[in-house]
Amino acid sequence: MPELPEVETIRRSLQDVVGSTINAAEFSPVAPIKHTSVDTLRTQLTNARIETIGRRGKYLLFSLSRDATLIVHLGMSGRLRRAGPETVAPRHTHMALTLSNDTILRYVDPRRFGVISLAASGQAHPLLHNIGPEFDATDFTVDAFLQQCRRHPKLSLKMALLHQGVVAGLGNIYVCEVLYEARLAPTRTIGDTSDDALARVFAAIRAVLSRAITHGGTSLRDYEDSWGNKGNMKSQLQVYGREGQSTLDGTAEVVRIVQHGRSTWYAPAVQQ
DNA sequence: GCGATCCTGGCC
DNA sequence: GGCCAGGATCGC
């Protein structure tokens, strides 16, 4: 479900639980736990304090006292919801953290494409190992971006951006939006794209993600932050989901194609 | 690199 | 019933 702007919005919506202690941690029998065990999670989380809540790409990182980090990825359908004590857990609740400030933080994920994991502080973790730079990091420069892109000459622009290695955090919505902003066809390969054109992609990545965060992310169906608030970015999307209509700014007609089994929306008349 | 695969739910 | 969905991993 969520891409970087949605995950970042969720992260910000959780700031008030920083400093609270996890009194109890419960997991469903089918919780999508990877690279650790439910017993380890329960032991490490119980009575730990949440020191900070960070983000890397689409991963949320709950830094805990006692040198552990809870890693949460929301996959396609994952949500983090807070509720008061004594409330009934919704269907598909796979993790429930009872916090010292009378909040229950629930991880709800019908499709279970998400991930719950644990890392020792400062240690490399397999989930985070191959993630590319953050879009707003100082080391994410045009030159670094070009260098990463040139390693994949055969990939289409769409697949290159969807892959988390070139830059972290883009998903289907924002790849479509970035390529419209850069006026490049998603089907074009990296190898057939000039440095100047890739520089437009670089600029578009930063512009589109910044704008999306400002708008609190895109709520298409079920995305909400931890308070249940929806994002406003849907009303700003130029091409995503608009086949048969014009781009939001009225520039050109939008079509939908399928690339590697995933939908892509773009405006062929102005994206070449 | 590419397709198949992991899941449930909503909509036609 | 079939198709589609904000994702990522794992095999040929």
Side-chain angles (χ1 to χ4, degrees):
Chain A
M1 164 176 82
E3 307 180 30
L4 185 152
E6 291 75 39
V7 178
E8 176 63 16
T9 302
I10 290 168
R11 188 190 73 78
R12 294 179 184 185
S13 78
L14 288 168
Q15 282 315 294
D16 63 297
V17 309
V18 170
S20 58
T21 298
I22 301 170
N23 290 338
E26 295 173 285
F27 298 87
S28 85
V30 291
I33 295 168
K34 301 282 159 57
H35 303 108
T36 186
S37 67
V38 63
D39 287 339
T40 303
L41 272 171
R42 217 182 271 119
T43 305
Q44 290 293 314
L45 296 186
T46 304
N47 296 325
R49 200 177 97 106
I50 299 173
E51 307 279 10
T52 61
I53 304 176
R55 179 189 55 72
R56 184 75 178 88
K58 301 174 191 172
Y59 290 92
L60 280 169
L61 308 174
F62 295 77
S63 180
L64 307 175
S65 54
R66 65 168 68 151
D67 287 341
T69 299
L70 169 68
I71 301 175
V72 175
H73 192 291
L74 299 170
M76 291 277 261
S77 57
R79 306 161 68 167
L80 278 173
R81 289 304 304 274
R82 67 178 72 218
E86 312 293 316
T87 50
V88 177
R91 196 164 149 79
H92 305 300
T93 296
H94 297 300
M95 177 174 72
L97 305 180
T98 304
L99 305 179
S100 56
N101 67 350
D102 271 351
T103 298
I104 302 180
L105 189 58
R106 295 194 175 101
Y107 170 82
V108 182
D109 184 5
R111 294 177 74 180
R112 280 181 275 145
F113 285 4
V115 175
I116 300 169
S117 192
L118 197 68
S121 288
Q123 300 289 302
H125 189 283
L127 290 173
L128 305 176
H129 189 59
N130 286 321
I131 300 188
E134 292 293 317
F135 79 100
D136 58 353
T138 52
D139 62 345
F140 185 56
T141 60
V142 185
D143 288 344
F145 179 68
L146 290 176
Q147 199 175 331
Q148 282 300 312
C149 284
R150 294 299 174 208
R151 293 171 62 177
H152 309 283
K154 292 192 164 178
L155 278 185
S156 64
L157 289 174
K158 163 84 181 213
M159 297 316 290
L161 295 183
L162 213 44
H163 185 251
Q164 302 298 301
V166 175
V167 60
L170 291 173
N172 209 16
I173 296 177
Y174 299 116
V175 169
C176 292
E177 296 298 308
V178 162
L179 291 175
Y180 175 70
E181 177 101 356
R183 299 296 192 275
L184 290 166
T187 48
R188 180 196 280 262
T189 64
I190 294 273
D192 285 337
T193 307
S194 69
D195 282 2
D196 281 354
L198 288 174
R200 294 208 304 276
V201 175
F202 172 82
I205 290 168
R206 306 219 293 185
V208 168
L209 290 181
S210 302
R211 200 182 312 145
I213 291 171
T214 299
H215 286 276
T218 303
S219 292
L220 294 177
R221 279 167 285 276
D222 47 14
Y223 157 72
E224 295 174 344
D225 71 14
S226 75
W227 294 104
N229 297 319
K230 295 188 184 301
N232 301 320
M233 186 63 186
K234 185 180 177 194
S235 64
Q236 311 289 314
L237 300 179
Q238 294 288 345
V239 291
Y240 185 92
R242 295 181 66 91
E243 73 267 32
Q245 307 173 64
S246 66
T247 55
L248 182 67
D249 58 18
T251 300
E253 292 299 302
V254 176
V255 301
R256 171 182 172 269
I257 62 171
V258 176
Q259 292 179 282
H260 306 283
R262 304 205 63 192
S263 292
T264 296
W265 288 267
Y266 77 115
V270 295
Q271 291 178 255
Q272 287 150 23

